[in-house]
Every structure is written in C-alpha cells, then in structure tokens.
Amino acid sequence: MSIKDGGHTPGPWIVSHDPDGSPDDYCIGVPDGKIDQVAVCSKRDAPIISAAPDMYEALKAVLEFLRDEGSDDYMIADTVRAALAKARGQ
C-alpha cells in the first residue's frame, strides 16, 4: 500500500515520554490527540521522526522552487523526488 500526499497523519507531530514504556521510550503524537498515534521510538530517534511532516513539506517546496526556476532536471531534483516517493511508500 502506498501513501499519497496527505495520506499520513498530518503534522505537526510532538514528542513525549512514553509513561508506560522504558526510560528511553518516547511517543510521537499529535497535539490534542492520542499520545502514541504516530509512533513509539527511542529518545535519539524521536526528534527526526517528529520532524518528518515538516521535512516532507519542505522538500515539496524545494521541488516546486526548482520547477519554477526551470532547474528540475538537476541531480538535486532527482534526489528530492526520490525522497518524497520513499516517504509516500513508492
């Protein structure tokens, strides 16, 4: 199954210590939502996981900028497209 734009839990995502887990267990959730709605992970992985929706939107903006500038044939555009596709499960 692939995730289309908007098919994931929308951001922002927040990090909170998992009260039911070990001292290194953290939850990724949404404000005013169920605390483990997104993921449970280690303390060191929590920041990058919680930043995923923001990074996804930033990469979409970079690709749009490259298209507007007529520069979407550069290797960076291919890298951005590949990262976005990976995030969508393609």
Side-chain angles (χ1 to χ4, degrees):
M1 179 173 96
S2 76
I3 299 172
K4 298 177 182 163
D5 278 352
H8 60 276
T9 303
W13 292 354
I14 57 171
V15 177
S16 178
H17 184 262
D18 183 352
D20 299 324
S22 74
D24 193 42
D25 285 348
Y26 281 73
C27 295
I28 308 299
V30 293
D32 301 321
K34 187 177 174 189
I35 194 64
D36 61 351
Q37 183 172 354
V38 178
V40 176
C41 59
S42 69
K43 182 178 182 177
R44 69 175 181 265
D45 292 338
I48 195 164
I49 293 170
S50 67
D54 301 319
M55 292 188 293
Y56 185 83
E57 292 302 318
L59 284 175
K60 286 180 16 182
V62 166
L63 192 57
E64 185 67 28
F65 173 80
L66 292 172
R67 285 184 190 139
D68 290 349
E69 295 296 312
S71 303
D72 65 342
D73 58 342
Y74 291 121
M75 188 171 69
I76 188 68
D78 291 340
T79 302
V80 170
R81 278 192 286 275
L84 290 169
K86 185 175 182 179
R88 290 189 300 268
Q90 300 172 338

